[in-house]
Amino acid sequence: MLSIDSLQVTYGGAVEAVRGVTMEVPDGTVVAVLGSNGAGKSTLLRTISGTLRLHRGRVDAGEVRFEGQTLTGRDPGQIVRQGIVQVPEGRRIFGRLTVEENLRAGGMGNRDRAAKAKARERVFDLFPVLKERNTQRGGLLSGGEQQMLAIGRALMASPKLLLLDEPSLGLAPRIIGQIGEVIGEINRQGTSVLLVEQNATMALGVADLAYVLDVGKVSLSGAAAELARTDEVQRLYLGHGEAAVTEQVSRGPRRTLSRWTA
Amino acid sequence: MTQFLSLLFNGLSLGAIYALIALGFVIIFKASEVVSFTHGSLLLLGAYSIARLSESLGFLGAVLVGLLITALAAFVVERFIINRLRGAPVISLAIVTIGVDIILLTELIRRIGPDILNVPHPWAGESVRIGGIGITQNRLVAMIVAGILIVLFFVAFKYSSWGVAMRASAEDGETAALMGIRQGRVSALAWVVAGVLAGVAALFLVGSPTPGVSSAVYATALRALPAAILGGLDSTGGALVGGLLIGVAESLAAGYQEQLLFLGRGFGEVVPYVVMIAVLLVRPSGLFGTKELTRV
Ligand SMILES: Nc1ncnc2c1ncn2[C@@H]1O[C@H](COP(=O)(O)OP(=O)(O)O)[C@@H](O)[C@H]1O
Ligand SMILES: [Mg+2]
């Protein structure tokens, strides 16, 4: 369904963020991409969703194809209409808009009213809390609810492929578990998922296939269950599961700060 | 007391006109992240077009075509200049809009020349009395029309898809793009709406008590900028409150001129700026502005 072929991406013509990545998201699967900070995971997703340009990034070589058509050079709006929607890192919900308005914004790329009504029903089924909080400002939701809103907002465009950038970031372990279950449910309903994560326990639990990204290159790939058994993943990602989670929690507020001063 | 009420009422009608212009500043700022100094000349273009066309097209036709011209001019500025400079520093963009303003203004002044252009408003120049308060018919119509437009604007801004797209895109442009919201389209539409609002303001600013199209209209239009800034440049509610505040302050200062002589003649003209500075000293981001903006 989605295939990435020898992709190379640089920022500002200097920083090589992705260096020759090849990967595949087969139709109907959940594919996980693991990697530490700076591995190039977000860059990969930006390339697919067409927002690289907003970061002064450029595809130097390689190609991204979706259902046989190239995505390179298309703008984000066209890509949404093709059926790919990205949930950005850090949730980025519209804090001054209500939950309902956030969902409406998510449906903007989708002209089909009937499809939108169906998507809304699906979102409220998956996240009943969003229905309860419909008229509240997004900024007043808890972190977990905001992540649900971010996913729900993306589903409003009825994507065939959902891109998730570190949905577990800054969330409590119990909520991370729920997010994992929701991702599995979304996939069972027929949406393919490309899941970028640092939380390997959650990601490998829900994924069919997985790739490990290391400084812009794929260092490991294979079936998620097999990958979970390899020494490298055990040592780097699963062995420090506990520590990784606390580190993510403490990263939460600092991230917000850096966005404020940026 | 009657004098006070009368000044207040007249100030509110002037303020409603300012609010129309200030709303334009604010939505352009939200959608395109640029402070549009092109607004004064856009407004003059509206006034000039309506005046010139009214002989051949009649009043109503001239107003419609005049508004269309103003909206089109705003659209062209956005499409061919602002849109292409997306990502340029805020200051450069502001200076670019000053450049466009000067070009347009110079051409308009050349065209107006020594002529005195008048817009033949169907409502006469006389005053009407409402419960002892005198107001010109022009200002009364202005208040009603502006009131309706402002309500329509706020309803659209709150409930229409355009409003949601605009607010989403103003809050976080990249994420809005990820939803398939086209920022270029949102921005172009904002300029068109601002152009129409400026055109409507122009229609009333060239009527009594200050009839005639001249570059004085331009100076008047610029007073809506302090209105937008003191309300908070990214707040539509702020534009409304700021516009009314400036209108009332100006009217009171002019009305009590004799008592305010110690401040010098013509205090009415500088009062918008004085009020703006006073508000900003207390609230640097304006009455309803977002704090983050103070860093821009
Ligand atoms: N907007 C940007 N401009 C310049 N360099 C960037 C930008 N975004 C990311 N990078 C760099 O690209 C590399 C990959 O970053 P990123 O894709 O964000 O990694 P990850 O999401 O895996 O943490 C890092 O070295 C990072 O510093
Ligand atoms: Mg990232």
Side-chain angles (χ1 to χ4, degrees):
Chain A
M1 165 178 240
L2 182 86
S3 55
I4 299 171
D5 185 24
S6 331
L7 187 71
Q8 284 184 27
V9 179
T10 53
Y11 287 106
V15 185
E16 289 186 19
V18 170
R19 316 188 234 183
V21 165
T22 297
M23 59 174 70
E24 193 78 36
V25 181
D27 201 356
T29 59
V30 177
V31 174
V33 175
L34 303 175
S36 47
N37 271 334
K41 306 181 299 296
S42 295
T43 305
L44 196 64
L45 294 192
R46 284 177 193 145
T47 312
I48 303 171
S49 64
T51 50
L52 206 49
R53 229 173 305 164
L54 299 174
H55 294 266
R56 301 181 191 282
R58 210 184 65 197
V59 174
D60 287 331
E63 198 184 26
V64 179
R65 299 177 72 81
F66 181 64
E67 296 183 326
Q69 286 180 307
T70 183
L71 293 183
T72 327
R74 303 235 162 147
D75 68 50
Q78 286 172 314
I79 290 169
V80 169
R81 269 176 285 277
Q82 295 237 324
I84 303 180
V85 180
Q86 181 189 348
V87 178
E89 183 177 322
R91 311 185 266 279
R92 307 272 289 261
I93 55 142
F94 303 113
R96 283 188 248 158
L97 270 57
T98 64
V99 168
E100 172 61 23
E101 288 168 343
N102 268 276
L103 295 178
R104 273 183 81 183
M108 294 267 163
N110 188 349
R111 292 231 185 80
D112 184 346
R113 271 167 187 269
K116 254 192 269 196
K118 237 174 109 186
R120 180 180 311 255
E121 225 168 273
R122 176 189 187 192
V123 169
F124 287 152
D125 268 355
L126 284 167
F127 309 111
V129 64
L130 295 184
K131 195 167 188 174
E132 287 162 31
R133 305 257 161 131
N134 208 240
T135 56
Q136 258 182 38
R137 279 181 172 218
L140 297 176
L141 302 184
S142 71
E145 288 163 351
Q146 290 193 0
Q147 187 59 54
M148 294 174 193
L149 178 56
I151 297 176
R153 182 179 63 179
L155 290 178
M156 286 299 291
S158 318
K160 297 178 200 159
L161 173 63
L162 185 65
L163 312 175
L164 294 165
D165 197 345
E166 300 201 37
S168 75
L169 191 72
L171 299 181
R174 188 177 55 85
I175 311 284
I176 296 178
Q178 285 178 10
I179 299 280
E181 282 166 29
V182 162
I183 295 170
E185 180 58 30
I186 289 170
N187 178 246
R188 278 190 292 280
Q189 292 172 352
T191 309
S192 309
V193 178
L194 180 57
L195 169 64
V196 155
E197 260 304 342
Q198 295 202 42
N199 186 316
T201 318
M202 185 270 262
L204 293 177
V206 67
D208 304 299
L209 302 170
Y211 292 81
V212 175
L213 209 56
D214 189 18
V215 210
K217 287 195 173 118
V218 175
S219 62
L220 278 174
S221 66
E226 274 168 39
L227 220 64
R229 283 195 293 272
T230 61
D231 282 351
E232 190 177 346
V233 172
Q234 285 278 342
R235 187 166 42 83
L236 287 176
Y237 297 99
L238 298 176
H240 303 294
E242 203 68 22
V245 168
T246 32
E247 192 230 6
Q248 281 159 13
V249 172
S250 66
R251 255 174 59 193
R254 237 183 299 142
R255 261 186 186 265
T256 339
L257 271 184
S258 67
R259 241 165 56 83
W260 272 74
T261 47
Chain B
M1 192 61 197
T2 338
Q3 190 199 4
F4 174 76
L5 283 180
S6 175
L7 291 174
L8 184 68
F9 198 56
N10 276 282
L12 285 176
S13 78
L14 178 62
I17 302 177
Y18 283 156
L20 289 180
I21 311 172
L23 278 175
F25 278 125
V26 167
I27 55 169
I28 285 178
F29 182 77
K30 285 178 89 85
S32 319
E33 285 169 4
V34 52
V35 182
S36 163
F37 290 99
T38 315
H39 243 66
S41 56
L42 278 178
L43 192 133
L44 189 58
L45 172 68
Y48 171 79
S49 311
I50 295 172
R52 266 277 183 273
L53 292 167
S54 54
E55 245 174 65
S56 47
L57 298 178
F59 175 73
L60 204 60
V63 169
L64 290 178
V65 178
L67 291 183
L68 202 69
I69 290 174
T70 320
L72 193 69
F75 179 77
V76 167
V77 172
E78 197 282 334
R79 277 297 87 180
F80 291 95
I81 302 170
I82 303 301
N83 184 47
R84 280 157 205 244
L85 295 178
R86 189 166 302 243
V90 186
I91 296 293
S92 325
L93 278 172
I95 305 285
V96 164
T97 66
I98 292 179
V100 174
D101 185 60
I102 290 175
I103 295 169
L104 191 54
L105 179 65
T106 309
E107 173 61 14
L108 283 169
I109 287 179
R110 189 184 67 77
R111 277 170 176 264
I112 295 171
D115 299 355
I116 295 178
L117 288 174
N118 271 310
V119 172
H121 296 96
W123 46 89
E126 300 105 54
S127 294
V128 283
R129 300 213 140 259
I130 305 170
I133 296 169
I135 187 167
T136 68
Q137 287 186 20
N138 179 55
R139 282 286 170 78
L140 191 62
V141 177
M143 201 147 139
I144 295 165
V145 172
I148 293 171
L149 282 180
I150 289 169
V151 168
L152 281 179
F153 175 87
F154 277 98
V155 168
F157 198 67
K158 176 82 185 121
Y159 298 106
S160 75
S161 294
W162 168 71
V164 174
M166 168 86 113
R167 284 179 291 137
S169 162
E171 192 173 328
D172 185 342
E174 182 184 357
T175 305
L178 284 177
M179 319 277 94
I181 294 173
R182 288 165 192 267
Q183 228 173 345
R185 203 174 286 181
V186 170
S187 165
L189 204 51
W191 280 76
V192 166
V193 170
V196 171
L197 293 179
V200 174
L203 173 65
F204 294 111
L205 280 179
V206 297
S208 66
T210 51
V213 178
S214 70
S215 46
V217 178
Y218 175 84
T220 313
L222 279 194
R223 277 179 228 149
L225 188 56
I229 288 178
L230 83 82
L233 200 43
D234 67 336
S235 160
T236 47
L240 176 58
V241 173
L244 295 177
L245 203 63
I246 293 286
V248 169
E250 196 181 323
S251 162
L252 290 179
Y256 292 118
Q257 209 174 43
E258 297 306 315
Q259 288 90 322
L260 293 172
L261 264 187
F262 64 94
L263 292 169
R265 261 188 208 289
F267 182 65
E269 277 171 26
V270 299
V271 92
Y273 297 93
V274 173
V275 173
M276 172 186 76
I277 292 168
V279 169
L280 291 189
L281 283 177
V282 182
R283 293 184 62 97
S285 41
L287 292 174
F288 304 101
T290 321
K291 291 226 168 53
E292 297 145 64
L293 283 174
T294 49
R295 277 191 216 96
V296 172

